[in-house]
Each structure stands twice: as structure tokens, then as C-alpha cells.
Amino acid sequence: GKQQRSILGFFSKA
Amino acid sequence: MLEAKLDQASILKKVVDAIKDLVQDCNFDCNDSGIALQAMDNSHVALVSMALKAESFQPYRCDRNIALGLNLTSLTKVLRAAQNEDMLTLRAEDAPDSLNLVFESKADDRISEYDLKLMDIDQEHLGIPETEYAATITLPSSEFRRICTDLMALSESVTIDASKDGVKFSCTGDIGNGAVTLRSHTNVDKPELNVDIELSEPVSLTFSLKYLVNFCKASALSHQVKICLSNEVPLLVEYALENQSHLRFYLAPKIGD
């Protein structure tokens, strides 16, 4: 099935 | 120091109510442009981004940057003492140990005052890239909440397909399937019921309904909600407030197969 991604995979630490 | 007065306590009550189940401890970052918050949920799947612009307060004063480290459960306890119609003033020193909240009734001369202890929160900020979304859908916030709660009765996940035919929210569960399709719709008498779909290319993404239902707690803030999608990037759910203040939620998609 589909896996839940982390928001950290898209937005980088500023 | 910070001094920020809201004409209606209900704005802050509703914002905190909408995010307190997603985020427990967070900084209210205050500077001369207003009060902002950015926080992830514990599982790092969703991100909350709030901006209460200085123009949403009258008066607003903040001489230097102040981070108010707040436990939202504690803040909720204090805000419960405010009536929706009360004027609410937030005050803090430059390096504060506590946040002073004053609630003033407009109808009578009742003034209540609370001091809430603050905490040091080491919070990492995430850079959110500017995104030209492939699909932007504006719809009544009550409709979005209804779709999410109805589909959650069947499944943990919803697939949102936006195409020239409209936007389809569909799910598959153990007991069966469900789908709701909306098309652009203009109601001249009641524009808050409008559905507007702007599309540059078709999008299909899957999201956890548990988070979406949680975001819908913000429905009390605004009649309309804007949801923005592009393939393979987090969903943006935005509740707009007056003076360009807003409450935004970002949700990472489910990807695979």
C-alpha cells in the first residue's frame, strides 16, 4: 500500500 | 515589549482550539509584523503555520523579537475564561517568564487578568518552498469538513483527484467505497457557498483522513477553505482571516504503488 511520508522529506530545516 | 489587542477574543480562541490537538508546545514568535507560529505534529506528518498580522490587532506594539513558549493545553485553560466577544490583550516583557492576558467585556466593566507561565522551547523552523500548485480548490469549510468526516467512516485515507471535470474525493475501505465529486459552482446570493477549481494540470494524491479531519477544527475561523495540490508535494489547507492573517496546514502525502 501507500506509505505515509514525513513532512521533513519535503521542507528543509531553515 | 509586546502589547497586542484583539477586538474579539474568539479569534485566538478558535485558532488555539484548531491546533491544540496537533501541537502541544510551541513558540508564538512575535515581531513588528505580527505573531507567527510554525510547528510540526509529533509524528512529523503535518505542519501548522499561523500568521496573525499586526493589522489584525489594534493596537499592536512589539519592539523586538520575542518568542512566547506556550503549552497550548495551558493556554486553552486560560482562554476558556474569555468570552468570545471580549477584547483580549496580550502583554509580555522583552525576555518574558510569563504572558499576561487581559479580557475586557464590552457590555460591562468586567476586566479579568491572567498570567501564564512560559517555557523555553527549542523549535526548528522549516523552510517552506514557494509552490505554484497544479490545483487550487476553494470551497465552503463546512463542505470540506463534511466530506472528510463522511469518508473517514469508511477509510483511513482519501484520494483527491483534481481534473477538468472537477475534484473527486474518494476512499476504499473494508465495508466498501465512497466518493464525493464537486464541480465549480457560483452562488450569487451566498458567495460563501461557492466552489472554485483552478487547475493547471491534473493531480491525484492520497492523504490520511485523520489529519484532514483534525485540520477541519479550524472551520469556525472561515466560511471558506482553500486547498492546494501538486503531485508529490504536501497538501496545503488554508483558512484565511481578515488582514491577510491566516492559519495554514501542510500534510505530507501517502506515496507508493
Side-chain angles (χ1 to χ4, degrees), chain B residues 59-70:
Chain B
Y60 184 85
R61 178 190 159 192
C62 186
D63 310 318
R64 51 183 78 183
N65 296 1
I66 303 173
L68 303 172
L70 288 161

Side-chain angles (χ1 to χ4, degrees), chain A residues 1-8 10-14, chain B residues 40 44-45 124-127 206 232 252-255:
Chain A
K2 291 182 192 291
Q3 295 295 313
Q4 176 65 63
R5 295 303 169 99
S6 164
I7 203 89
L8 292 167
F10 301 95
F11 300 159
S12 53
K13 289 175 187 175
Chain B
M40 279 182 288
H44 295 175
V45 169
E124 50 194 3
H125 274 257
L126 297 183
T206 299
E232 311 251 326
K254 292 185 167 189
I255 294 177

Side-chain angles (χ1 to χ4, degrees), chain B residues 138-243:
Chain B
T138 309
L139 72 163
S141 53
S142 56
E143 175 68 87
F144 184 54
R145 182 178 55 194
R146 182 180 167 199
I147 291 168
C148 293
T149 51
D150 288 350
L151 297 183
M152 198 164 87
L154 272 76
S155 177
E156 288 179 357
S157 304
V158 59
T159 298
I160 306 177
D161 292 288
S163 71
K164 60 177 174 43
D165 298 324
V167 57
K168 182 177 166 190
F169 302 80
S170 59
C171 72
T172 305
D174 291 340
I175 63 163
N177 309 327
V180 180
T181 303
L182 299 179
R183 293 188 179 83
S184 287
H185 168 87
T186 303
N187 188 317
V188 177
D189 296 327
K190 294 181 179 171
E192 68 270 21
L193 298 180
N194 287 357
V195 175
D196 182 62
I197 300 169
E198 287 172 37
L199 189 80
S200 60
E201 59 178 304
V203 183
S204 179
L205 280 166
T206 299
F207 299 99
S208 162
L209 278 163
K210 178 180 74 177
Y211 286 93
L212 293 178
V213 167
N214 211 319
F215 300 166
C216 288
K217 288 176 184 159
S219 300
L221 281 167
S222 173
H223 288 302
Q224 292 249 306
V225 61
K226 188 165 84 175
I227 63 175
C228 304
L229 305 111
S230 280
N231 284 319
E232 311 251 326
V233 305
L235 168 76
L236 165 60
V237 178
E238 176 177 307
Y239 295 86
L241 305 171
E242 284 179 24
N243 303 300

Side-chain angles (χ1 to χ4, degrees), chain B residues 53-162:
Chain B
K53 304 284 188 188
E55 293 74 20
S56 289
F57 300 90
Q58 187 60 266
Y60 184 85
R61 178 190 159 192
C62 186
D63 310 318
R64 51 183 78 183
N65 296 1
I66 303 173
L68 303 172
L70 288 161
N71 174 280
L72 293 185
T73 305
S74 304
L75 179 59
T76 299
K77 287 178 183 172
V78 171
L79 288 175
R80 229 173 255 147
Q83 301 280 308
N84 282 333
E85 305 297 315
D86 284 354
M87 295 180 287
L88 181 158
T89 305
L90 303 172
R91 277 198 199 93
E93 301 296 329
D94 280 343
D97 297 322
S98 64
L99 171 66
N100 178 253
L101 300 101
V102 177
F103 312 139
E104 292 172 77
S105 165
K106 288 170 198 158
D108 51 45
D109 290 329
R110 187 180 195 275
I111 296 175
S112 49
E113 185 168 355
Y114 294 83
D115 291 305
L116 185 62
K117 288 180 194 165
L118 298 174
M119 45 209 270
D120 277 324
I121 299 171
D122 193 14
Q123 210 165 29
E124 50 194 3
H125 274 257
L126 297 183
I128 302 169
E130 284 284 321
T131 306
E132 289 284 335
Y133 287 98
T136 298
I137 300 139
T138 309
L139 72 163
S141 53
S142 56
E143 175 68 87
F144 184 54
R145 182 178 55 194
R146 182 180 167 199
I147 291 168
C148 293
T149 51
D150 288 350
L151 297 183
M152 198 164 87
L154 272 76
S155 177
E156 288 179 357
S157 304
V158 59
T159 298
I160 306 177
D161 292 288

Side-chain angles (χ1 to χ4, degrees), chain B residues 25-52:
Chain B
D25 299 327
C26 61
N27 283 322
F28 276 33
D29 296 308
C30 310
N31 60 33
D32 59 359
S33 66
I35 300 177
L37 172 159
Q38 194 207 75
M40 279 182 288
D41 77 302
N42 280 334
S43 54
H44 295 175
V45 169
L47 181 88
V48 181
S49 172
M50 175 200 82
L52 296 176

Side-chain angles (χ1 to χ4, degrees), chain B residues 2-21:
Chain B
L2 167 76
E3 181 171 347
K5 186 171 185 176
L6 284 171
D7 187 55
Q8 302 252 338
S10 59
I11 297 169
L12 189 63
K13 282 165 74 90
K14 287 174 186 171
V15 167
V16 174
D17 216 41
I19 63 177
K20 69 175 166 41
D21 295 328

